Short mmCIF file of all heavy atoms in Angstrom, two decimals:
data_model
loop_
_atom_site.label_atom_id
_atom_site.label_comp_id
_atom_site.label_asym_id
_atom_site.label_seq_id
_atom_site.Cartn_x
_atom_site.Cartn_y
_atom_site.Cartn_z
N PHE A 223 -76.57 24.46 49.87
CA PHE A 223 -76.89 25.88 49.86
C PHE A 223 -76.05 26.57 48.79
O PHE A 223 -74.85 26.29 48.64
CB PHE A 223 -76.60 26.51 51.23
CG PHE A 223 -77.59 26.12 52.30
CD1 PHE A 223 -77.29 25.13 53.22
CD2 PHE A 223 -78.84 26.73 52.36
CE1 PHE A 223 -78.20 24.75 54.20
CE2 PHE A 223 -79.76 26.37 53.33
CZ PHE A 223 -79.45 25.38 54.25
N ILE A 224 -76.66 27.49 48.07
CA ILE A 224 -75.96 28.16 46.98
C ILE A 224 -74.73 28.90 47.48
O ILE A 224 -73.69 28.92 46.82
CB ILE A 224 -76.93 29.12 46.25
CG1 ILE A 224 -78.00 28.30 45.52
CG2 ILE A 224 -76.17 30.01 45.25
CD1 ILE A 224 -79.08 29.13 44.86
N GLY A 225 -74.84 29.49 48.66
CA GLY A 225 -73.73 30.24 49.21
C GLY A 225 -72.51 29.39 49.53
O GLY A 225 -71.42 29.93 49.76
N GLU A 226 -72.67 28.07 49.55
CA GLU A 226 -71.58 27.17 49.88
C GLU A 226 -71.03 26.44 48.64
O GLU A 226 -70.12 25.61 48.77
CB GLU A 226 -72.03 26.14 50.91
CG GLU A 226 -72.47 26.79 52.24
CD GLU A 226 -73.04 25.79 53.22
OE1 GLU A 226 -73.24 24.61 52.83
OE2 GLU A 226 -73.30 26.17 54.37
N LEU A 227 -71.56 26.75 47.46
CA LEU A 227 -71.12 26.06 46.25
C LEU A 227 -69.73 26.54 45.82
O LEU A 227 -69.38 27.70 46.00
CB LEU A 227 -72.10 26.32 45.11
CG LEU A 227 -73.50 25.71 45.22
CD1 LEU A 227 -74.34 26.16 44.03
CD2 LEU A 227 -73.44 24.20 45.29
N PRO A 228 -68.93 25.65 45.22
CA PRO A 228 -67.66 26.08 44.62
C PRO A 228 -67.92 27.13 43.55
O PRO A 228 -68.90 27.03 42.79
CB PRO A 228 -67.10 24.79 44.02
CG PRO A 228 -67.79 23.68 44.74
CD PRO A 228 -69.15 24.19 45.08
N ALA A 229 -67.06 28.14 43.46
CA ALA A 229 -67.26 29.25 42.52
C ALA A 229 -67.39 28.77 41.08
O ALA A 229 -68.17 29.34 40.29
CB ALA A 229 -66.11 30.24 42.65
N GLU A 230 -66.67 27.70 40.72
CA GLU A 230 -66.69 27.25 39.33
C GLU A 230 -68.02 26.63 38.92
O GLU A 230 -68.28 26.42 37.74
CB GLU A 230 -65.55 26.26 39.07
CG GLU A 230 -65.60 25.00 39.89
CD GLU A 230 -64.80 25.08 41.18
OE1 GLU A 230 -64.54 26.21 41.66
OE2 GLU A 230 -64.44 24.02 41.70
N THR A 231 -68.88 26.30 39.89
CA THR A 231 -70.19 25.72 39.56
C THR A 231 -71.25 26.78 39.28
O THR A 231 -72.29 26.48 38.69
CB THR A 231 -70.71 24.83 40.70
OG1 THR A 231 -70.98 25.65 41.86
CG2 THR A 231 -69.71 23.75 41.06
N LEU A 232 -71.00 28.04 39.65
CA LEU A 232 -72.04 29.07 39.58
C LEU A 232 -72.50 29.38 38.15
O LEU A 232 -73.70 29.55 37.91
CB LEU A 232 -71.57 30.34 40.29
CG LEU A 232 -71.31 30.18 41.79
CD1 LEU A 232 -70.88 31.51 42.40
CD2 LEU A 232 -72.54 29.63 42.52
N PRO A 233 -71.60 29.46 37.14
CA PRO A 233 -72.10 29.67 35.78
C PRO A 233 -73.04 28.56 35.32
O PRO A 233 -74.01 28.82 34.61
CB PRO A 233 -70.82 29.70 34.93
CG PRO A 233 -69.74 30.06 35.89
CD PRO A 233 -70.13 29.44 37.18
N PHE A 234 -72.78 27.34 35.74
CA PHE A 234 -73.62 26.22 35.34
C PHE A 234 -74.96 26.26 36.08
O PHE A 234 -76.00 25.94 35.50
CB PHE A 234 -72.87 24.91 35.58
CG PHE A 234 -71.61 24.81 34.78
CD1 PHE A 234 -70.38 25.15 35.33
CD2 PHE A 234 -71.65 24.41 33.46
CE1 PHE A 234 -69.22 25.09 34.59
CE2 PHE A 234 -70.48 24.34 32.69
CZ PHE A 234 -69.27 24.69 33.26
N LEU A 235 -74.93 26.65 37.34
CA LEU A 235 -76.17 26.82 38.09
C LEU A 235 -77.05 27.87 37.41
O LEU A 235 -78.26 27.68 37.27
CB LEU A 235 -75.86 27.25 39.53
CG LEU A 235 -77.06 27.54 40.43
CD1 LEU A 235 -77.85 26.27 40.72
CD2 LEU A 235 -76.60 28.19 41.74
N TYR A 236 -76.43 28.96 36.97
CA TYR A 236 -77.18 30.04 36.34
C TYR A 236 -77.71 29.61 34.97
O TYR A 236 -78.83 29.96 34.58
CB TYR A 236 -76.27 31.26 36.20
CG TYR A 236 -77.00 32.55 35.98
CD1 TYR A 236 -78.08 32.93 36.77
CD2 TYR A 236 -76.59 33.44 34.99
CE1 TYR A 236 -78.75 34.12 36.56
CE2 TYR A 236 -77.24 34.65 34.79
CZ TYR A 236 -78.31 34.98 35.59
OH TYR A 236 -78.97 36.17 35.38
N LEU A 237 -76.92 28.84 34.25
CA LEU A 237 -77.40 28.28 32.98
C LEU A 237 -78.63 27.41 33.23
O LEU A 237 -79.60 27.46 32.47
CB LEU A 237 -76.30 27.46 32.31
CG LEU A 237 -76.72 26.64 31.09
CD1 LEU A 237 -77.23 27.54 29.96
CD2 LEU A 237 -75.55 25.79 30.60
N GLY A 238 -78.58 26.62 34.29
CA GLY A 238 -79.72 25.77 34.62
C GLY A 238 -81.00 26.56 34.80
O GLY A 238 -82.08 26.15 34.34
N LYS A 239 -80.90 27.71 35.46
CA LYS A 239 -82.08 28.56 35.64
C LYS A 239 -82.63 29.02 34.30
O LYS A 239 -83.85 29.07 34.09
CB LYS A 239 -81.73 29.78 36.49
CG LYS A 239 -82.91 30.73 36.72
CD LYS A 239 -82.48 31.99 37.43
CE LYS A 239 -81.81 32.98 36.53
NZ LYS A 239 -82.75 33.65 35.58
N ALA A 240 -81.72 29.33 33.37
CA ALA A 240 -82.13 29.85 32.07
C ALA A 240 -82.84 28.81 31.21
O ALA A 240 -83.62 29.18 30.32
CB ALA A 240 -80.93 30.41 31.32
N ILE A 241 -82.60 27.53 31.46
CA ILE A 241 -83.19 26.50 30.60
C ILE A 241 -84.29 25.70 31.30
O ILE A 241 -84.80 24.73 30.74
CB ILE A 241 -82.10 25.53 30.09
CG1 ILE A 241 -81.42 24.78 31.24
CG2 ILE A 241 -81.08 26.28 29.23
CD1 ILE A 241 -80.47 23.68 30.80
N LEU A 242 -84.66 26.12 32.49
CA LEU A 242 -85.65 25.35 33.26
C LEU A 242 -86.95 25.13 32.48
O LEU A 242 -87.53 24.04 32.52
CB LEU A 242 -85.97 26.06 34.57
CG LEU A 242 -84.99 25.90 35.73
CD1 LEU A 242 -85.37 26.83 36.87
CD2 LEU A 242 -84.96 24.45 36.22
N GLN A 243 -87.41 26.18 31.79
CA GLN A 243 -88.71 26.09 31.11
C GLN A 243 -88.58 25.55 29.69
O GLN A 243 -89.52 25.62 28.92
CB GLN A 243 -89.40 27.46 31.11
CG GLN A 243 -88.94 28.44 30.03
CD GLN A 243 -87.66 29.16 30.36
OE1 GLN A 243 -86.85 28.69 31.14
NE2 GLN A 243 -87.48 30.32 29.75
N GLU A 244 -87.40 25.00 29.36
CA GLU A 244 -87.13 24.43 28.03
C GLU A 244 -87.42 25.44 26.92
O GLU A 244 -88.25 25.20 26.05
CB GLU A 244 -87.94 23.15 27.82
CG GLU A 244 -87.61 22.05 28.82
CD GLU A 244 -88.34 20.76 28.55
OE1 GLU A 244 -87.83 19.98 27.73
OE2 GLU A 244 -89.40 20.54 29.14
N PRO A 245 -86.70 26.58 26.93
CA PRO A 245 -86.96 27.63 25.94
C PRO A 245 -86.53 27.23 24.54
O PRO A 245 -85.63 26.41 24.36
CB PRO A 245 -86.11 28.79 26.45
CG PRO A 245 -84.96 28.13 27.15
CD PRO A 245 -85.57 26.92 27.81
N GLU A 246 -87.18 27.84 23.56
CA GLU A 246 -86.78 27.63 22.16
C GLU A 246 -85.46 28.33 21.86
O GLU A 246 -84.66 27.85 21.07
CB GLU A 246 -87.86 28.17 21.22
CG GLU A 246 -89.19 27.45 21.29
CD GLU A 246 -90.21 28.06 20.35
OE1 GLU A 246 -89.79 28.60 19.30
OE2 GLU A 246 -91.41 28.02 20.66
N TRP A 247 -85.26 29.50 22.51
CA TRP A 247 -84.06 30.31 22.28
C TRP A 247 -83.34 30.54 23.60
O TRP A 247 -83.95 30.90 24.60
CB TRP A 247 -84.44 31.67 21.68
CG TRP A 247 -84.83 31.57 20.24
CD1 TRP A 247 -86.07 31.27 19.74
CD2 TRP A 247 -83.98 31.76 19.11
NE1 TRP A 247 -86.04 31.26 18.38
CE2 TRP A 247 -84.77 31.56 17.96
CE3 TRP A 247 -82.63 32.07 18.96
CZ2 TRP A 247 -84.25 31.67 16.66
CZ3 TRP A 247 -82.11 32.19 17.68
CH2 TRP A 247 -82.91 31.99 16.54
N LEU A 248 -82.02 30.35 23.58
CA LEU A 248 -81.17 30.62 24.73
C LEU A 248 -80.28 31.80 24.39
O LEU A 248 -79.53 31.78 23.41
CB LEU A 248 -80.33 29.39 25.06
CG LEU A 248 -79.36 29.50 26.24
CD1 LEU A 248 -80.09 29.85 27.53
CD2 LEU A 248 -78.58 28.20 26.41
N LEU A 249 -80.38 32.86 25.20
CA LEU A 249 -79.64 34.10 24.99
C LEU A 249 -78.60 34.23 26.09
O LEU A 249 -78.94 34.26 27.27
CB LEU A 249 -80.59 35.29 25.02
CG LEU A 249 -81.88 35.14 24.19
CD1 LEU A 249 -82.84 36.28 24.48
CD2 LEU A 249 -81.55 35.08 22.69
N MET A 250 -77.32 34.35 25.72
CA MET A 250 -76.24 34.29 26.70
C MET A 250 -75.29 35.46 26.54
O MET A 250 -74.71 35.66 25.47
CB MET A 250 -75.48 32.97 26.56
CG MET A 250 -76.37 31.74 26.54
SD MET A 250 -75.44 30.20 26.31
CE MET A 250 -74.74 29.99 27.96
N ASP A 251 -75.14 36.24 27.61
CA ASP A 251 -74.29 37.43 27.57
C ASP A 251 -72.95 37.14 28.26
O ASP A 251 -72.88 37.04 29.48
CB ASP A 251 -75.01 38.59 28.27
CG ASP A 251 -74.39 39.93 27.93
OD1 ASP A 251 -73.40 39.97 27.18
OD2 ASP A 251 -74.91 40.96 28.42
N GLU A 252 -71.91 36.95 27.46
CA GLU A 252 -70.56 36.65 27.93
C GLU A 252 -70.53 35.44 28.88
O GLU A 252 -70.01 35.53 30.00
CB GLU A 252 -69.94 37.88 28.59
CG GLU A 252 -69.81 39.06 27.64
CD GLU A 252 -69.07 40.24 28.23
OE1 GLU A 252 -68.43 40.08 29.28
OE2 GLU A 252 -69.12 41.33 27.63
N PRO A 253 -71.06 34.31 28.45
CA PRO A 253 -71.14 33.14 29.34
C PRO A 253 -69.81 32.51 29.69
O PRO A 253 -69.69 31.81 30.69
CB PRO A 253 -72.01 32.15 28.54
CG PRO A 253 -71.76 32.53 27.11
CD PRO A 253 -71.62 34.02 27.12
N PHE A 254 -68.77 32.76 28.87
CA PHE A 254 -67.47 32.13 29.11
C PHE A 254 -66.49 33.05 29.84
O PHE A 254 -65.33 32.71 30.00
CB PHE A 254 -66.85 31.69 27.78
CG PHE A 254 -67.73 30.77 26.98
CD1 PHE A 254 -68.35 31.20 25.82
CD2 PHE A 254 -67.95 29.47 27.39
CE1 PHE A 254 -69.17 30.36 25.09
CE2 PHE A 254 -68.77 28.61 26.67
CZ PHE A 254 -69.38 29.06 25.51
N ASP A 255 -66.98 34.20 30.29
CA ASP A 255 -66.12 35.17 30.95
C ASP A 255 -65.47 34.58 32.20
O ASP A 255 -66.14 34.01 33.05
CB ASP A 255 -66.94 36.40 31.32
CG ASP A 255 -66.07 37.59 31.66
OD1 ASP A 255 -64.96 37.66 31.14
OD2 ASP A 255 -66.51 38.44 32.46
N ASN A 256 -64.14 34.70 32.29
CA ASN A 256 -63.35 34.23 33.44
C ASN A 256 -63.40 32.72 33.66
O ASN A 256 -63.08 32.24 34.75
CB ASN A 256 -63.81 34.93 34.73
CG ASN A 256 -63.60 36.44 34.66
OD1 ASN A 256 -62.57 36.89 34.15
ND2 ASN A 256 -64.56 37.19 35.15
N MET A 257 -63.80 31.96 32.66
CA MET A 257 -63.83 30.50 32.78
C MET A 257 -62.48 29.91 32.39
O MET A 257 -61.80 30.42 31.51
CB MET A 257 -64.89 29.89 31.85
CG MET A 257 -66.27 29.79 32.44
SD MET A 257 -67.32 28.81 31.33
CE MET A 257 -68.80 28.73 32.31
N SER A 258 -62.13 28.80 33.00
CA SER A 258 -60.97 28.03 32.58
C SER A 258 -61.27 27.32 31.26
O SER A 258 -62.44 27.20 30.86
CB SER A 258 -60.60 27.00 33.64
OG SER A 258 -61.62 26.01 33.74
N VAL A 259 -60.24 26.85 30.60
CA VAL A 259 -60.44 26.10 29.36
C VAL A 259 -61.32 24.88 29.61
O VAL A 259 -62.23 24.56 28.83
CB VAL A 259 -59.08 25.67 28.76
CG1 VAL A 259 -59.28 24.73 27.58
CG2 VAL A 259 -58.29 26.89 28.33
N THR A 260 -61.07 24.19 30.73
CA THR A 260 -61.86 23.00 31.06
C THR A 260 -63.33 23.35 31.25
O THR A 260 -64.22 22.64 30.74
CB THR A 260 -61.32 22.34 32.34
OG1 THR A 260 -59.95 21.96 32.13
CG2 THR A 260 -62.13 21.11 32.70
N ALA A 261 -63.61 24.45 31.94
CA ALA A 261 -65.00 24.86 32.18
C ALA A 261 -65.67 25.27 30.87
O ALA A 261 -66.84 24.97 30.64
CB ALA A 261 -65.05 25.99 33.19
N ARG A 262 -64.93 25.96 30.00
CA ARG A 262 -65.50 26.35 28.72
C ARG A 262 -65.87 25.12 27.90
O ARG A 262 -66.93 25.07 27.27
CB ARG A 262 -64.52 27.23 27.92
CG ARG A 262 -64.43 28.66 28.41
CD ARG A 262 -63.86 29.59 27.35
NE ARG A 262 -62.51 29.25 26.95
CZ ARG A 262 -61.42 29.78 27.47
NH1 ARG A 262 -61.52 30.64 28.47
NH2 ARG A 262 -60.22 29.44 27.03
N ARG A 263 -64.99 24.13 27.91
CA ARG A 263 -65.29 22.92 27.15
C ARG A 263 -66.52 22.20 27.71
O ARG A 263 -67.35 21.68 26.95
CB ARG A 263 -64.07 21.99 27.17
CG ARG A 263 -62.93 22.49 26.30
CD ARG A 263 -61.69 21.65 26.46
NE ARG A 263 -60.61 22.09 25.56
CZ ARG A 263 -59.37 21.70 25.65
NH1 ARG A 263 -59.00 20.85 26.61
NH2 ARG A 263 -58.46 22.15 24.81
N LYS A 264 -66.65 22.20 29.03
CA LYS A 264 -67.83 21.59 29.63
C LYS A 264 -69.09 22.36 29.23
O LYS A 264 -70.10 21.76 28.85
CB LYS A 264 -67.70 21.57 31.15
CG LYS A 264 -68.94 21.01 31.86
CD LYS A 264 -68.80 21.03 33.37
CE LYS A 264 -70.08 20.54 34.03
NZ LYS A 264 -70.00 20.56 35.51
N MET A 265 -69.03 23.70 29.28
CA MET A 265 -70.17 24.52 28.91
C MET A 265 -70.55 24.30 27.45
O MET A 265 -71.73 24.15 27.11
CB MET A 265 -69.86 26.00 29.16
CG MET A 265 -70.98 26.96 28.78
SD MET A 265 -72.41 26.88 29.89
CE MET A 265 -71.79 27.87 31.27
#
């Protein structure tokens, strides 16, 4: 359940929604906000 996910997974879950339809262009508004260095590198 989404409500039970670790907080650090939520930006990645949201990214997944944005790429579901395999878009040509990905538009991201402050995607690294409040991320750790490790999470930014993963993103």
